[in-house]
Amino acid sequence: PATFKTGDSKAKSFSFVHVSDTQVATADEHPLHSAIGTGAAFGKTLEGIKKSNPNPAFLLHTGDIVQNVHEPYWRSMIDDNNKYLSNVPFMAASGNHEASGTDAILNHFNFNAPEQDTSKGLYYYFDYGDARFIVLNTNLLDGTSKISQSQYNWLKRTLESNTKKWTIVSMHNPIYSVGKWVQDEELNATSLKLRDQLFKVFARYNVDLVLQGHDHTYSKTYPISVEGKADLEAKYETI
């Protein structure tokens, strides 16, 4: 048995947890693979989170949940950490390691998503308290490495209809990062195309925060203007 507390639609304040790129695998893969043992390592991370934030509203994962879509990897990620994950809602973006064409995200999570091609993941949104969380699928691209037109149109509608005070977007592939997927000219084609497509719409509709994965680094930018420049004079409010 497990218990959890359902969300409060009128919550004036709340906290949530953001994690990314856990890439859980088990010992049935090549012994030199760097992902072996990450189910237990993720468990240690969750234990640390519980000590510092014992009652988050939910956990938001920005993709690459498992190393690939073998079912033992999902069992290691979910079952081995059941004590924590059965008590905290798990909201996930789709990473490239889940983009197998097998409905991996849809088969392991129950999200309220619009009609779409789910073979490489999902895009959807949810509201919590006075915040709207928009989850993009950077696996579902068009022929130019931008998100598909149908997803882009849905994104604009979701932003236009938003009446919440805060707007938070989560996505796997980064558009700004200090890591190789943005900095390396041989690797960053998709990130730069996504940036060109998305930065203006994020700024125009006053997106407050964009959470990303893929690059295994920590970094934070200044606010980005509709011109794509860092706003070094931005005023900050402590909440």
Side-chain angles (χ1 to χ4, degrees), residues 132-146:
R132 171 158 294 186
F133 291 82
I134 300 174
V135 182
L136 298 181
N137 179 12
T138 55
N139 301 322
L140 190 60
L141 305 176
D142 64 13
T144 66
S145 294
K146 297 180 179 180

PDB file of all heavy atoms in Angstrom, residues 132-146:
ATOM      1  N   ARG A 132       1.453  27.359 -14.529  1.00  0.00           N
ATOM      2  CA  ARG A 132       1.233  26.438 -15.650  1.00  0.00           C
ATOM      3  C   ARG A 132       2.571  25.836 -16.053  1.00  0.00           C
ATOM      4  O   ARG A 132       3.533  26.549 -16.318  1.00  0.00           O
ATOM      5  CB  ARG A 132       0.600  27.153 -16.842  1.00  0.00           C
ATOM      6  CG  ARG A 132       0.544  26.293 -18.114  1.00  0.00           C
ATOM      7  CD  ARG A 132      -0.508  26.766 -19.087  1.00  0.00           C
ATOM      8  NE  ARG A 132      -1.839  26.575 -18.527  1.00  0.00           N
ATOM      9  CZ  ARG A 132      -2.975  26.801 -19.216  1.00  0.00           C
ATOM     10  NH1 ARG A 132      -2.904  27.245 -20.476  1.00  0.00           N
ATOM     11  NH2 ARG A 132      -4.145  26.605 -18.659  1.00  0.00           N
ATOM     12  N   PHE A 133       2.607  24.516 -16.112  1.00  0.00           N
ATOM     13  CA  PHE A 133       3.798  23.782 -16.502  1.00  0.00           C
ATOM     14  C   PHE A 133       3.562  23.197 -17.895  1.00  0.00           C
ATOM     15  O   PHE A 133       2.645  22.400 -18.093  1.00  0.00           O
ATOM     16  CB  PHE A 133       4.088  22.653 -15.512  1.00  0.00           C
ATOM     17  CG  PHE A 133       4.533  23.143 -14.157  1.00  0.00           C
ATOM     18  CD1 PHE A 133       3.600  23.564 -13.217  1.00  0.00           C
ATOM     19  CD2 PHE A 133       5.882  23.186 -13.824  1.00  0.00           C
ATOM     20  CE1 PHE A 133       4.000  24.024 -11.969  1.00  0.00           C
ATOM     21  CE2 PHE A 133       6.291  23.643 -12.585  1.00  0.00           C
ATOM     22  CZ  PHE A 133       5.356  24.056 -11.646  1.00  0.00           C
ATOM     23  N   ILE A 134       4.389  23.600 -18.847  1.00  0.00           N
ATOM     24  CA  ILE A 134       4.277  23.132 -20.227  1.00  0.00           C
ATOM     25  C   ILE A 134       5.453  22.209 -20.508  1.00  0.00           C
ATOM     26  O   ILE A 134       6.612  22.609 -20.358  1.00  0.00           O
ATOM     27  CB  ILE A 134       4.272  24.320 -21.206  1.00  0.00           C
ATOM     28  CG1 ILE A 134       3.079  25.237 -20.909  1.00  0.00           C
ATOM     29  CG2 ILE A 134       4.238  23.827 -22.650  1.00  0.00           C
ATOM     30  CD1 ILE A 134       3.071  26.522 -21.725  1.00  0.00           C
ATOM     31  N   VAL A 135       5.158  20.978 -20.899  1.00  0.00           N
ATOM     32  CA  VAL A 135       6.181  19.954 -21.120  1.00  0.00           C
ATOM     33  C   VAL A 135       6.279  19.687 -22.618  1.00  0.00           C
ATOM     34  O   VAL A 135       5.342  19.162 -23.227  1.00  0.00           O
ATOM     35  CB  VAL A 135       5.839  18.660 -20.356  1.00  0.00           C
ATOM     36  CG1 VAL A 135       6.937  17.615 -20.550  1.00  0.00           C
ATOM     37  CG2 VAL A 135       5.634  18.957 -18.869  1.00  0.00           C
ATOM     38  N   LEU A 136       7.407  20.052 -23.213  1.00  0.00           N
ATOM     39  CA  LEU A 136       7.607  19.861 -24.651  1.00  0.00           C
ATOM     40  C   LEU A 136       8.295  18.528 -24.928  1.00  0.00           C
ATOM     41  O   LEU A 136       8.967  17.963 -24.065  1.00  0.00           O
ATOM     42  CB  LEU A 136       8.444  21.002 -25.227  1.00  0.00           C
ATOM     43  CG  LEU A 136       7.853  22.408 -25.121  1.00  0.00           C
ATOM     44  CD1 LEU A 136       8.798  23.426 -25.752  1.00  0.00           C
ATOM     45  CD2 LEU A 136       6.477  22.478 -25.778  1.00  0.00           C
ATOM     46  N   ASN A 137       8.135  18.048 -26.150  1.00  0.00           N
ATOM     47  CA  ASN A 137       8.800  16.824 -26.603  1.00  0.00           C
ATOM     48  C   ASN A 137       9.795  17.184 -27.697  1.00  0.00           C
ATOM     49  O   ASN A 137       9.419  17.387 -28.849  1.00  0.00           O
ATOM     50  CB  ASN A 137       7.774  15.814 -27.124  1.00  0.00           C
ATOM     51  CG  ASN A 137       8.426  14.536 -27.624  1.00  0.00           C
ATOM     52  OD1 ASN A 137       9.616  14.304 -27.388  1.00  0.00           O
ATOM     53  ND2 ASN A 137       7.664  13.703 -28.301  1.00  0.00           N
ATOM     54  N   THR A 138      11.078  17.282 -27.336  1.00  0.00           N
ATOM     55  CA  THR A 138      12.103  17.666 -28.319  1.00  0.00           C
ATOM     56  C   THR A 138      12.572  16.483 -29.152  1.00  0.00           C
ATOM     57  O   THR A 138      13.535  16.606 -29.909  1.00  0.00           O
ATOM     58  CB  THR A 138      13.302  18.337 -27.624  1.00  0.00           C
ATOM     59  OG1 THR A 138      13.820  17.477 -26.596  1.00  0.00           O
ATOM     60  CG2 THR A 138      12.887  19.665 -27.006  1.00  0.00           C
ATOM     61  N   ASN A 139      11.896  15.348 -29.034  1.00  0.00           N
ATOM     62  CA  ASN A 139      12.136  14.233 -29.961  1.00  0.00           C
ATOM     63  C   ASN A 139      11.244  14.334 -31.198  1.00  0.00           C
ATOM     64  O   ASN A 139      11.569  13.751 -32.236  1.00  0.00           O
ATOM     65  CB  ASN A 139      11.847  12.889 -29.280  1.00  0.00           C
ATOM     66  CG  ASN A 139      12.688  12.663 -28.053  1.00  0.00           C
ATOM     67  OD1 ASN A 139      13.857  13.021 -28.023  1.00  0.00           O
ATOM     68  ND2 ASN A 139      12.104  12.061 -27.027  1.00  0.00           N
ATOM     69  N   LEU A 140      10.138  15.046 -31.050  1.00  0.00           N
ATOM     70  CA  LEU A 140       9.168  15.147 -32.143  1.00  0.00           C
ATOM     71  C   LEU A 140       9.494  16.399 -32.959  1.00  0.00           C
ATOM     72  O   LEU A 140       8.994  17.492 -32.697  1.00  0.00           O
ATOM     73  CB  LEU A 140       7.750  15.224 -31.578  1.00  0.00           C
ATOM     74  CG  LEU A 140       6.600  15.088 -32.576  1.00  0.00           C
ATOM     75  CD1 LEU A 140       6.664  13.740 -33.288  1.00  0.00           C
ATOM     76  CD2 LEU A 140       5.256  15.258 -31.875  1.00  0.00           C
ATOM     77  N   LEU A 141      10.376  16.227 -33.948  1.00  0.00           N
ATOM     78  CA  LEU A 141      10.900  17.348 -34.728  1.00  0.00           C
ATOM     79  C   LEU A 141      10.454  17.258 -36.179  1.00  0.00           C
ATOM     80  O   LEU A 141      10.054  16.195 -36.659  1.00  0.00           O
ATOM     81  CB  LEU A 141      12.436  17.351 -34.654  1.00  0.00           C
ATOM     82  CG  LEU A 141      13.056  17.358 -33.253  1.00  0.00           C
ATOM     83  CD1 LEU A 141      14.574  17.269 -33.347  1.00  0.00           C
ATOM     84  CD2 LEU A 141      12.636  18.602 -32.478  1.00  0.00           C
ATOM     85  N   ASP A 142      10.554  18.388 -36.859  1.00  0.00           N
ATOM     86  CA  ASP A 142      10.296  18.368 -38.292  1.00  0.00           C
ATOM     87  C   ASP A 142      11.609  18.105 -39.030  1.00  0.00           C
ATOM     88  O   ASP A 142      12.620  17.764 -38.423  1.00  0.00           O
ATOM     89  CB  ASP A 142       9.641  19.682 -38.741  1.00  0.00           C
ATOM     90  CG  ASP A 142      10.546  20.901 -38.548  1.00  0.00           C
ATOM     91  OD1 ASP A 142      11.767  20.714 -38.301  1.00  0.00           O
ATOM     92  OD2 ASP A 142      10.051  22.030 -38.649  1.00  0.00           O
ATOM     93  N   GLY A 143      11.628  18.281 -40.317  1.00  0.00           N
ATOM     94  CA  GLY A 143      12.826  17.971 -41.094  1.00  0.00           C
ATOM     95  C   GLY A 143      13.954  18.956 -40.919  1.00  0.00           C
ATOM     96  O   GLY A 143      15.054  18.742 -41.430  1.00  0.00           O
ATOM     97  N   THR A 144      13.726  20.048 -40.178  1.00  0.00           N
ATOM     98  CA  THR A 144      14.767  21.062 -39.980  1.00  0.00           C
ATOM     99  C   THR A 144      15.266  21.108 -38.541  1.00  0.00           C
ATOM    100  O   THR A 144      15.898  22.080 -38.130  1.00  0.00           O
ATOM    101  CB  THR A 144      14.246  22.452 -40.369  1.00  0.00           C
ATOM    102  OG1 THR A 144      13.202  22.838 -39.451  1.00  0.00           O
ATOM    103  CG2 THR A 144      13.698  22.448 -41.788  1.00  0.00           C
ATOM    104  N   SER A 145      14.971  20.082 -37.746  1.00  0.00           N
ATOM    105  CA  SER A 145      15.394  19.978 -36.342  1.00  0.00           C
ATOM    106  C   SER A 145      14.667  20.943 -35.417  1.00  0.00           C
ATOM    107  O   SER A 145      15.143  21.232 -34.325  1.00  0.00           O
ATOM    108  CB  SER A 145      16.910  20.165 -36.199  1.00  0.00           C
ATOM    109  OG  SER A 145      17.601  19.102 -36.817  1.00  0.00           O
ATOM    110  N   LYS A 146      13.520  21.459 -35.827  1.00  0.00           N
ATOM    111  CA  LYS A 146      12.657  22.239 -34.946  1.00  0.00           C
ATOM    112  C   LYS A 146      11.489  21.361 -34.501  1.00  0.00           C
ATOM    113  O   LYS A 146      11.207  20.347 -35.133  1.00  0.00           O
ATOM    114  CB  LYS A 146      12.132  23.481 -35.680  1.00  0.00           C
ATOM    115  CG  LYS A 146      13.217  24.448 -36.109  1.00  0.00           C
ATOM    116  CD  LYS A 146      12.622  25.647 -36.831  1.00  0.00           C
ATOM    117  CE  LYS A 146      13.711  26.638 -37.237  1.00  0.00           C
ATOM    118  NZ  LYS A 146      13.147  27.823 -37.944  1.00  0.00           N
TER     119      LYS A 146
END
